[in-house]
Structure formats: C-alpha cells, structure tokens
Amino acid sequence: MKFTVFNGSPAAANSSTQVIAEAFLRGAQRAGAETETIFLIEKNIAHCKGCFACWFRTPGKCVMQDDMTALLEKYNTSDVVCFATPVYTWNMTAALKNFADRLVPLKSPKIVQKQGDFDLADSKPKTQKFVAISNCGFPGDNNFEVMKAAFACCAPVLEIYRNCGKLLRSKREDVRLVVAQYLDAVEQAGFELASTGSVTAQTKQRMEMPLMSVPDYVKYLGM
C-alpha cells in the first residue's frame, strides 16, 4: 500500500501543514505502508491552458512537458492520496489548486450527474482513497468551510482540519506537550487507515482536541 502526500504549502518541508502530514505518514509506515511526500512548490508545474488536447488529441496525456507527467504517475499508483495545504484566503494554496487543475487528463469529455451534481466522468475508475489535511493560523472552526466544500468533490475518507496552527511548530514546552498529544492521534489515524482502511470515531474525536483556548491563542500570537 502506498500513501502519497501532495503538500501545497509554499513553506514546503518547513510548513506547519507538514508537521501534521509527517505524523499521519508515520502511522501509515507503522502499518507497513510505503509513503512519499511531494512538495508542489518545488516542482515545475505550468498552469492548465484549457486546450482540452488531453481529451481529444492525446487522450490522458497533457501536451505540456513538465513535472506533472511524473506526478500524474505517482498520483495514479498511490492507494491513498493526501491533499495537504494551509488555509490561504479561505481556500487551498495556489500551488495545490494548480496541481488539482492539471489532473484534468484523468477526466473525459462526458458529463455525469449524481444526486443533482454535475461533473465530468473519470476516464478510468478511481481506485485511490483520498485524505484532506489542512491547518489554519486562526482559531475557530469556520475557517475551513470553503476548504471542506472544495475537498467534498473527491469524497475524502478522512479530513484533518487543525485550527491554531501556529502552535504546531512552537518551541514552548507546555505547548509542545499538548501538540504531541494531538500528533499522536494523527499518527494513530494514519495507522488505522493503512491497516484497516478506515479511522475510528474515537481517533477522529481525539484529532479535534483544542490546543489552546481562543483568548490564550490570540495572546500567544501577540495580535
């Protein structure tokens, strides 16, 4: 089983988002899964031109020659695809959105309808499971509403949303102890998904634990 994280944070390996992703992948590794992290900001991925050549001229293949060719292969051969991103202006980062746009060769020019929602049909049936990972520097849970709506399109089996995200890389000892408890739950989620194909309600609840009260967090930020 292979887990691949496509991290859209501009901070790449130094991102708070990656702190969560690494914990998740550690759990998957404990269960015997192969794991890989792709930092999209480090890749040469041009913007989709909307030419639709990947549907009509070269079905399944983009006419642009860049890093997306190899990334599509990694995407297609993964059992679990993790989309990871911080919240940037209510939504995913431009790097992750650009990557998602370039997945268009996997679609076909056929409209399908499901429960009133219209979409393009997949050129081949999807075999992957999808996971959404996101953190936000603000407190509160409403910051993820746009993100949840965007990720709903791929019907993720697990969504990990972390507010008060600035605490994830804190060097303060009391904060580190709380963050460690949270990351232990995230690691357990990775282990469960890799070993059983699902995550228990108990583990999901643990991942929703508060890291700090809102007043204390605002004070912590100095804002």
Side-chain angles (χ1 to χ4, degrees), residues 64-210:
M64 293 187 286
Q65 300 298 310
D66 57 15
D67 290 342
M68 198 63 197
T69 303
L71 294 181
L72 276 174
E73 177 67 18
K74 291 181 182 294
Y75 178 95
N76 283 326
T77 57
S78 297
D79 299 293
V80 176
V81 169
C82 307
F83 297 115
T85 176
V87 175
Y88 268 36
T89 317
W90 314 296
N91 207 333
M92 68 183 72
T93 62
L96 182 57
K97 181 60 170 65
N98 188 41
F99 172 77
D101 288 345
R102 289 290 303 279
L103 296 176
V104 69
L106 305 181
K107 293 289 187 177
S108 65
K110 179 181 178 182
I111 294 177
V112 292
Q113 186 263 131
K114 183 178 180 181
Q115 297 178 342
D117 295 324
F118 291 86
D119 197 357
L120 293 170
D122 296 319
S123 58
K124 296 180 181 178
K126 283 191 177 74
T127 59
Q128 308 98 324
K129 291 181 178 179
F130 297 93
V131 173
I133 298 175
S134 183
N135 92 95
C136 182
F138 290 108
D141 297 320
N142 293 338
N143 303 293
F144 299 104
E145 294 309 306
V146 174
M147 196 83 71
K148 290 177 181 179
F151 284 136
C153 299
C154 67
V157 297
L158 178 66
E159 296 172 89
I160 304 175
Y161 298 117
R162 180 70 269 167
N163 57 20
C164 301
K166 292 291 185 181
L167 299 175
L168 292 170
R169 302 182 71 88
S170 176
K171 298 186 182 303
R172 230 174 72 179
E173 187 59 28
D174 61 326
V175 175
R176 289 167 63 91
L177 290 173
V178 176
V179 169
Q181 294 177 39
Y182 165 70
L183 294 178
D184 181 69
V186 175
E187 182 175 332
Q188 180 63 23
F191 175 80
E192 291 176 5
L193 188 60
S195 57
T196 70
S198 62
V199 178
T200 63
Q202 180 182 12
T203 298
K204 290 180 181 179
Q205 185 175 20
R206 286 178 60 204
M207 287 192 293
E208 294 176 1
M209 66 175 284

